[in-house]
Amino acid sequence: MNALRESVADDVWLLRRRAAPTAVMLEEIARIAADAPFRRLRTPGGGTMSVAMTNCGPLGWHSDARGYRYVDVDPGSGRRWPPMPERWRELAASAAAEAGFPGFEPDACLVNRYAVGTQMGAHRDYDERDLRQPIVSVSIGLPAQFLWHGATRGGSLVRVELLDGDVLVWGGRARAGYHAVKRIAAPDLIASAAADAPPTDETGEPLRYNLTFRRAK
Ligand code: MD6
Ligand code: FE
């Protein structure tokens, strides 16, 4: 169907560099964060996530002592989440179609921000109403080691390095699969001196962003 997609596992597809170049997306992330700032959310178990998050689109994913859920206003400000850029919506829909999931209309985009040393433990994305809908994930900036466990939390591992511009799509049999992101490594000096140096925070520390597009409701 699409010669440029690589199979990671059943119903998990990697579209290498499908979102490249990502420079314009960084400007859009900055605009979103100016309205709905990145924050580290509390988990129901009482911890705090190392990854900082914000959202755009009609619905945003949120976590606090009460649990995980989608909310239509930013609990930090009481205002609606910033709009999802039209180009992002189109990218998510066309990437989903290329991976075999036509008709994807995301109503939520979670924006994750990873500094060096942050990680995301094994989890599955299970808070959406219709689990027949796929998820599209876009990686920007620093590379990450993405771990696919599949049906069980300690399931057989597939490891994928996600690079700037890579798009991962999964749905179908993989929709409730466990996955994780390993601790983000410091970039090597040669790579960061190159033209495609990673984005940085206000103090110059390099970053990774990940956008996950879902149909929540
Ligand atoms: C990340 N991604 O790549 C974390 N979840 O930073 C996810 O947790 C994820 O990439 C659901 C679907 C796609 C994903
Ligand atoms: Fe996830």
Side-chain angles (χ1 to χ4, degrees):
M1 179 189 172
N2 184 325
L4 299 175
R5 63 181 200 179
E6 293 170 32
S7 172
V8 174
D10 275 351
D11 289 334
V12 182
W13 295 98
L14 175 57
L15 281 56
R16 280 278 182 217
R17 302 278 181 177
R18 178 65 178 74
T22 54
V24 175
M25 301 183 89
L26 290 170
E27 293 171 21
E28 291 163 320
I29 291 170
R31 221 164 23 239
I32 289 162
D35 186 359
F38 283 99
R39 79 285 315 251
R40 291 173 59 201
L41 298 172
R42 309 302 304 254
T43 61
T48 301
M49 294 184 191
S50 64
V51 175
M53 300 179 176
T54 187
N55 294 276
C56 65
L59 294 164
W61 187 83
H62 185 66
S63 172
D64 59 20
R66 287 166 44 206
Y68 305 140
R69 62 196 177 279
Y70 283 92
V71 289
D72 61 6
V73 297
D74 177 352
S77 67
R79 295 193 311 270
R80 316 274 319 182
W81 297 103
M84 192 185 301
E86 186 58 22
R87 228 188 50 85
W88 291 18
R89 209 185 49 70
E90 285 166 7
L91 170 66
S94 54
E98 286 160 33
F101 304 100
F104 180 51
E105 294 183 13
D107 59 7
C109 176
L110 172 65
V111 185
N112 293 147
R113 186 185 68 188
Y114 294 74
V116 170
T118 63
Q119 64 184 328
M120 193 173 291
H123 68 279
R124 43 189 190 158
D125 290 66
Y126 217 69
D127 303 315
E128 297 78 30
R129 184 175 289 168
D130 181 0
L131 296 179
R132 292 169 306 185
Q133 296 284 335
I135 297 182
V136 174
S137 137
V138 177
S139 291
I140 299 172
L142 288 176
Q145 299 293 331
F146 185 85
L147 305 178
W148 176 259
H149 294 281
T152 57
R153 193 179 285 272
S156 65
L157 268 183
V158 180
R159 181 185 301 237
V160 188
E161 183 172 45
L162 294 179
L163 304 169
D164 182 68
D166 286 350
V167 177
L168 198 58
V169 182
W170 75 71
R173 290 161 291 178
R175 182 60 177 76
Y178 284 93
H179 54 282
V181 177
K182 284 191 56 165
R183 197 175 293 284
I184 302 292
D188 68 72
L189 294 169
I190 296 166
S192 26
D196 60 346
T200 53
D201 69 10
E202 48 292 329
T203 68
E205 295 300 320
L207 296 170
R208 170 178 189 256
Y209 293 101
N210 174 260
L211 316 176
T212 49
F213 296 89
R214 302 108 188 254
R215 181 81 197 176
K217 294 216 164 120

